[in-house]
Structures are given as C-alpha cells and as structure tokens.
Amino acid sequence: EVQLVVSGGGLVQPGGSLRLSCVASGFAFSSAWMYWVRQAPGKEFEWVAVINPAGATDYGNSVKGRFTISRDNYENTVSLQLNSLKAEDTAMYYCSRDRSGRLRGQGTQVTVSS
C-alpha cells in the first residue's frame, strides 16, 4: 500500500518559515519523481516543487527563491523548506507522486497570518 505521510504544517506569521516532511512507503521511492502541491480554499491544485531521483529540482514561479525541496533516499523522505512566507502561501500542502496532485497523500495545513 502506497503511503505518503506529511508533517510540519502550522500557523506562521508573514516572513516566517516552516519545514514540511513527507515519509513515503509502498513504492520504489529512490526512483520516483516527487512533488509538493498545494490547494488554497476554493482554488485548483497548484504545483509547488519537484525533485527527481538524482536530486534535480524545479519550482513554481510563485515560490521560486523562497521554497526548497530536498530528499533523502535512505530515509524515504522528501521535505519542503518554506521561507519568507506570504499570506498567499496559505493552503493545504500535499506530498504527491505526480504533478497534478492526483497521487497525493494526506495534507498538512499551512496558514500564514499575523
């Protein structure tokens, strides 16, 4: 059974930071492209970041320069460091095996508010 278990969300003030982690199991993690996607209330899923098996990364324009995706193929984890957070980053964040979020796991809420 594929599982993607996310932790690390919460409430943070604008300009603050959070780190999200996703522990994966049930599939060949080390050879998988892994994504972070998010969904704000009333909006479509938005692709945030991707990391390939070799560690190459790419980011959505709205988070480029502020967020960093990383992975540990020994621990089967993928992480997302969120810096310089803005109110518009408020959303449910998901770890996913695809860009659309269709193969996502559970989510974690990130709320950016003063």
Side-chain angles (χ1 to χ4, degrees):
E1 177 188 4
V2 172
Q3 289 194 336
L4 298 168
V5 180
V6 176
S7 61
L11 172 65
V12 64
Q13 293 186 343
S17 298
L18 282 174
R19 185 174 181 84
L20 309 182
S21 293
C22 172
V23 180
S25 61
F27 64 100
F29 177 83
S30 62
S31 60
W33 289 58
M34 295 300 299
Y35 301 80
W36 287 93
V37 300
R38 67 186 182 186
Q39 188 177 33
K43 294 191 175 182
E44 299 289 326
F45 278 99
E46 177 187 9
W47 165 72
V48 173
V50 60
I51 187 166
N52 76 2
T57 61
D58 197 10
Y59 300 89
N61 287 336
S62 61
V63 307
K64 200 168 292 185
R66 300 187 298 121
F67 291 8
T68 303
I69 189 172
S70 60
R71 70 189 296 158
D72 184 332
N73 287 338
Y74 294 100
E75 298 291 335
N76 281 13
T77 60
V78 57
S79 299
L80 187 68
Q81 178 68 38
L82 296 70
N83 295 331
S84 302
L85 282 160
K86 306 175 182 179
E88 50 264 43
D89 295 317
T90 295
M92 188 72 78
Y93 283 72
Y94 300 88
C95 173
S96 180
R97 293 188 293 140
D98 74 316
R99 184 184 175 118
S100 72
R102 185 176 62 86
L103 301 179
R104 67 188 183 276
Q106 68 176 79
T108 188
Q109 178 67 39
V110 171
T111 302
V112 184
S113 175
S114 55

